[in-house]
Amino acid sequence: MLWKFALASLLLRHTSSSQARAEQKPVTLQHNKPPNIVFILTDDQDVHLSSLDYMPFVRKHILEQGTYFNKHYCTTAVCCPSRATLWSGKASHNTNITDVNPPYGGYPKWVVNGFNENYLPVWLQEAGYNTYYTGKFFNVHTVENYDSPFAAGWTGNEFLLDPYTYNYMNSTFQKDKQPPVSHEGEYVTDVMAEKAYGLLDDAVHAANKRPFFLTVAPTAPHGNIQMNGSALDPDHTLEHTAPIPAERHRHLFKDVKVPRTANFNPNHPSGANWLLDLSLQNRANIEYNDHFHRQRLRSLQAVDELVDSLIYRLAAYDILDNTYIVYSSDNGFHIGQHRLQPGKSCGYEEDINIPLAIRGPGVAANYTTDIVTTHTDLAPTFLQMLGIPLRDDLDGRPIPITEPEIGEEQRTRREHAGVEYWGFAGGEGIYDKSLHENNTYKAIRLFGPGYNLYYSIWCTNEHELYDMNADPGQLHNLLSPSSLTSTPPSINGHPIDKVVSRLDALLLILKSCAGASCREPWKELHPNGNVWTLADALSVKYDRFYEEMVKVEYDFCDNGYLIEAEGAMWETHGKMFWREGLRWDVWT
Ligand SMILES: *[C@@H]1O[C@H](CO)[C@@H](O)[C@H](O)[C@H]1NC(C)=O
Ligand SMILES: *[C@@H]1O[C@H](CO)[C@@H](O)[C@H](O)[C@H]1NC(C)=O
Ligand SMILES: *[C@@H]1O[C@H](CO)[C@@H](O)[C@H](O)[C@H]1NC(C)=O
Ligand SMILES: *[C@@H]1O[C@H](CO)[C@@H](O)[C@H](O)[C@H]1NC(C)=O
Ligand SMILES: *[C@@H]1O[C@H](CO)[C@@H](O)[C@H](O)[C@H]1NC(C)=O
């Protein structure tokens, strides 16, 4: 038992600045032990507002010791649907968890749709892992419904529950099968840090000596929500304000402002649909939004300290080198770009391009890769890291984590991220809290040699195309009626409508894909395997095939994934055309 005392006194002496000592400790490599995973999942954390630049411990322990994936995308840019995708390994059109609240989303729908018995932690347990979770799990996982049923798959849990999930100073946690406990007046991330350290201790001391998977899911830098009434009551009201930092971080970053990129509060409206009606933000609004931004960065400081302490503990337990540490967020965030108030749920780069960093056995240190990865890839990635067989019904493909694997995938990995959304968008600041209806769209983000594109179709059947090599801020929609006259004639030497015909067919596949057809969508269109990339598909011999292919369109706007609203589907209209209209073997 002596070593336990030694560890305890070591941990007691630990402060945030003492991590260097831990990393200097000689490390015993545990080659014959299966690896562990610690997954840190923040909420609404951006890439494009530079939040990672303000997290020195995440940089030092994870980015500098691991690999950063700078083209990582969420596929549905809002909390609950994105988490459902992450935990099930399926795109939102396959989970049909498309909103944060019932009837289209939330924990009750997750359970009804059968995922509580069939998702990542359940598979990990079946494969011999102990699984632990603290933090936000799903929206509408509440003090009333947490036990009906209990979330399956966790060896130990300390869930944050609604209606207090986003309440930084009045959280409620629920441990294992016990009743919820209120932490009124305590700072939520610090409470969660203690829970995380406790779960790590449980994992290390588990009697069955199994390897572990531990998730820590802080709410920062999400806004603070004071919810009035039950989250289960559709009439509940809520007050959404800037996130609240820990007292010790309130004074930081007084001069920091939202980066003034070209798309920040632009002089002309940009985007499509309801975004075109947004007005220019006045000075008071901008100052408030800069404050909102600083509160986000301040709220992330307690997360940064939590990461530092977790690393310190893993090192003290001598398991750091045998543990993968994965850092990501459920979705991104915008403040002021395209004149938007603070929020998410758009398809633009700020909302969908999100942090992903991984360190661990075999992972290249201080390395950045630009292979395209998405949240549908995370479940297969976790399985592959732990040597657990993949399941064929997963919509994603494992993310390569060693340098040779990344090099290989640079040649073969798909070029796109498929993006989808149904329902509303809402501002989270104090200026304009209105809900924007008809925020239903599908999109593709695509990178290839000479191509850096975003293509989207809204439920109003408006189209967008941005050539992001020329227009990284997505300010010039090449398909807007007004720009059609002044549009440059081509992208990478190809007429725009030719490029669009290919992107549209790819989107037709992606909008209803499942399993293999999500992983290799071009193969649906070209089963003989001649086409793997946009560049391949642009061959003149396919011009007529793509011109005549049915197009993606909506029949009407709805807040959920209703087949009746979704227009032509590949399985019916597309394949029919492909078989009968133009025999594919002639064209492919
Ligand atoms: C804090 O949460 C508890 C329930 O956990 C509730 O009874 C109390 O009213 C809340 N306090 C405030 C100030 O909202
Ligand atoms: C909170 O709920 C009470 C009772 O339902 C209501 O009277 C009050 O106006 C609500 N407050 C807010 C801020 O929504
Ligand atoms: C990481 O790489 C950067 C340059 O790419 C270098 O300046 C820095 O010193 C490196 N850090 C470590 C810990 O190796
Ligand atoms: C949303 O779209 C529907 C058509 O699908 C239309 O009837 C309705 O007016 C639109 N609402 C707004 C606010 O634009
Ligand atoms: C998705 O769920 C909604 C609400 O339960 C339902 O109306 C809709 O038909 C479902 N969509 C599909 C494609 O199953």
Side-chain angles (χ1 to χ4, degrees):
M1 292 305 279
L2 250 184
W3 67 273
K4 264 197 183 175
F5 285 111
L7 179 61
S9 61
L10 199 63
L11 293 181
L12 279 176
R13 284 209 316 273
H14 172 59
T15 65
S16 293
S17 58
S18 63
Q19 80 300 323
R21 226 175 342 129
E23 294 213 321
Q24 282 156 12
K25 254 172 64 87
V27 185
T28 325
L29 284 177
Q30 307 191 332
H31 287 301
N32 41 12
K33 282 202 135 187
N36 311 299
I37 293 179
V38 173
F39 179 36
I40 296 143
L41 179 66
T42 54
D43 200 314
D44 287 0
Q45 187 170 359
D46 59 275
V47 165
H48 293 271
L49 307 174
S50 306
S51 59
L52 284 171
D53 291 351
Y54 297 84
M55 302 188 79
F57 291 124
V58 168
R59 292 203 80 81
K60 170 176 178 156
H61 296 306
I62 310 182
L63 275 67
E64 290 191 1
Q65 298 300 321
T67 295
Y68 180 65
F69 297 80
N70 69 8
K71 293 190 171 63
H72 186 69
Y73 289 87
C74 63
T75 53
T76 305
V78 73
C79 316
C80 188
S82 186
R83 285 159 196 262
T85 288
L86 203 156
W87 293 118
S88 68
K90 289 177 187 295
S92 297
H93 66 262
N94 288 329
T95 61
N96 201 9
I97 309 287
T98 58
D99 191 4
V100 294
N101 290 316
Y104 298 124
Y107 180 67
K109 181 145 204 217
W110 168 260
V111 171
V112 167
N113 288 10
F115 289 108
N116 197 35
E117 293 87 45
N118 190 21
Y119 72 124
L120 186 72
V122 174
W123 308 330
L124 295 179
Q125 283 189 331
E126 283 166 7
Y129 270 74
N130 286 334
T131 54
Y132 302 87
Y133 197 106
T134 185
K136 175 189 168 174
F137 188 44
F138 284 116
N139 298 69
V140 199
H141 185 217
T142 80
V143 293
E144 300 100 340
N145 72 8
Y146 69 92
D147 59 352
S148 52
F150 285 108
W154 304 107
T155 311
N157 62 263
E158 287 270 15
F159 293 126
L160 263 178
L161 294 181
D162 273 352
Y164 310 103
T165 304
Y166 295 108
N167 199 319
Y168 279 78
M169 292 307 296
N170 192 20
S171 55
T172 289
F173 281 83
Q174 188 267 318
K175 181 178 170 62
D176 300 343
K177 305 250 147 113
Q178 300 169 19
V181 174
S182 169
H183 288 265
E184 186 165 0
E186 297 173 66
Y187 188 64
V188 66
T189 313
D190 293 344
V191 176
M192 197 182 303
E194 292 304 322
K195 309 277 188 206
Y197 310 149
L199 292 174
L200 178 62
D201 290 344
D202 293 350
V204 170
H205 298 304
N208 61 16
K209 303 230 179 296
R210 291 180 173 190
F212 64 86
F213 176 90
L214 165 65
T215 297
V216 183
T219 32
H222 194 287
N224 185 74
I225 291 180
Q226 178 78 41
M227 207 181 274
N228 197 4
S230 163
L232 290 166
D233 174 359
D235 295 328
H236 74 260
T237 59
L238 52 83
E239 195 188 358
H240 206 142
T241 51
I244 298 174
E247 193 58 44
R248 61 188 180 282
H249 300 131
R250 274 172 200 262
H251 64 287
L252 294 171
F253 314 132
K254 287 205 167 69
D255 300 323
V256 173
K257 293 179 172 175
V258 176
R260 299 305 199 248
T261 46
N263 64 3
F264 179 81
N265 200 26
N267 285 332
H268 300 284
S270 52
N273 199 356
W274 56 269
L275 279 95
L276 294 173
D277 298 328
L278 296 175
S279 13
L280 195 68
Q281 294 177 357
N282 65 24
R283 201 168 135 186
N285 189 163
I286 293 171
E287 279 172 8
Y288 172 79
N289 287 352
D290 282 332
H291 161 77
F292 197 108
H293 176 56
R294 289 188 289 271
Q295 291 292 83
R296 282 168 52 86
L297 299 178
R298 291 166 182 150
S299 76
L300 282 168
Q301 299 311 299
V303 176
D304 203 37
E305 292 173 356
L306 184 164
V307 168
D308 184 44
S309 292
L310 270 178
I311 297 278
Y312 179 82
R313 283 169 161 79
L314 291 165
Y317 277 129
D318 211 3
I319 53 175
L320 181 57
D321 283 10
N322 196 36
T323 301
Y324 291 103
I325 298 163
V326 180
Y327 187 96
S328 195
S329 169
D330 49 6
N331 51 261
F333 207 73
H334 55 247
I335 303 180
Q337 298 78 26
H338 306 285
R339 303 180 170 184
L340 288 159
Q341 298 299 337
K344 57 258 182 181
S345 63
C346 294
Y348 303 107
E349 199 69 355
E350 291 79 10
D351 291 19
I352 60 173
N353 183 203
I354 54 175
L356 176 67
I358 304 179
R359 77 170 270 178
V363 181
N366 205 18
Y367 182 74
T368 297
T369 172
D370 55 9
I371 58 169
V372 180
T373 61
T374 77
H375 263 9
T376 54
D377 299 332
L378 284 187
T381 303
F382 290 135
L383 294 175
Q384 178 138 310
M385 270 177 180
L386 305 180
I388 302 169
L390 297 180
R391 307 161 54 89
D392 197 47
D393 62 350
L394 298 179
D395 294 342
R397 156 173 181 161
I399 296 171
I401 53 175
T402 64
E403 234 178 305
E405 283 168 355
I406 290 172
E408 178 58 28
E409 292 263 319
Q410 242 143 9
R411 287 186 290 278
T412 58
R413 200 172 175 85
R414 54 155 204 259
E415 307 176 301
H416 65 272
V419 173
E420 48 193 2
Y421 202 95
W422 295 262
F424 298 95
E428 300 178 6
I430 53 176
Y431 291 83
D432 185 13
K433 287 183 177 289
S434 51
L435 283 180
H436 299 286
E437 273 183 58
N438 292 354
N439 189 53
T440 296
Y441 57 83
K442 302 178 193 307
I444 294 176
R445 185 73 179 93
L446 186 140
F447 301 88
Y451 301 99
N452 181 2
L453 304 173
Y454 176 80
Y455 175 62
S456 82
I457 300 176
W458 292 76
C459 63
T460 54
N461 291 319
E462 286 160 274
H463 287 55
E464 287 173 288
L465 176 67
Y466 300 98
D467 178 354
M468 293 177 67
N469 283 334
D471 175 23
Q474 300 172 297
L475 289 168
H476 308 291
N477 176 12
L478 301 175
L479 301 177
S480 85
S482 60
S483 77
L484 281 177
T485 46
S486 59
T487 286
S490 65
I491 289 178
N492 208 21
H494 294 287
I496 281 178
D497 43 354
K498 177 167 172 173
V499 176
V500 167
S501 69
R502 273 59 171 184
L503 293 172
D504 201 278
L506 182 60
L507 192 52
L508 181 68
I509 305 294
L510 291 176
K511 76 181 188 126
S512 59
C513 70
S517 60
C518 296
R519 298 191 297 267
E520 295 180 344
W522 290 114
K523 212 169 169 187
E524 288 288 301
L525 294 156
H526 301 271
N528 58 9
N530 287 349
V531 171
W532 287 97
T533 63
L534 175 62
D536 295 344
L538 283 164
S539 164
V540 288
K541 64 183 165 190
Y542 308 131
D543 280 356
R544 204 177 136 205
F545 175 74
Y546 282 107
E547 273 158 29
E548 298 190 9
M549 175 58 72
V550 285
K551 303 297 172 201
V552 176
E553 62 177 350
Y554 287 85
D555 291 314
F556 56 92
C557 288
D558 197 86
N559 292 327
Y561 176 39
L562 304 190
I563 292 291
E564 313 86 88
E566 297 275 321
M569 294 303 236
W570 167 248
E571 287 71 16
T572 44
H573 314 71
K575 272 191 178 158
M576 183 92 73
F577 155 78
W578 174 80
R579 284 199 203 98
E580 292 166 18
L582 277 168
R583 289 194 28 237
W584 62 267
D585 50 340
V586 175
W587 302 102
T588 62

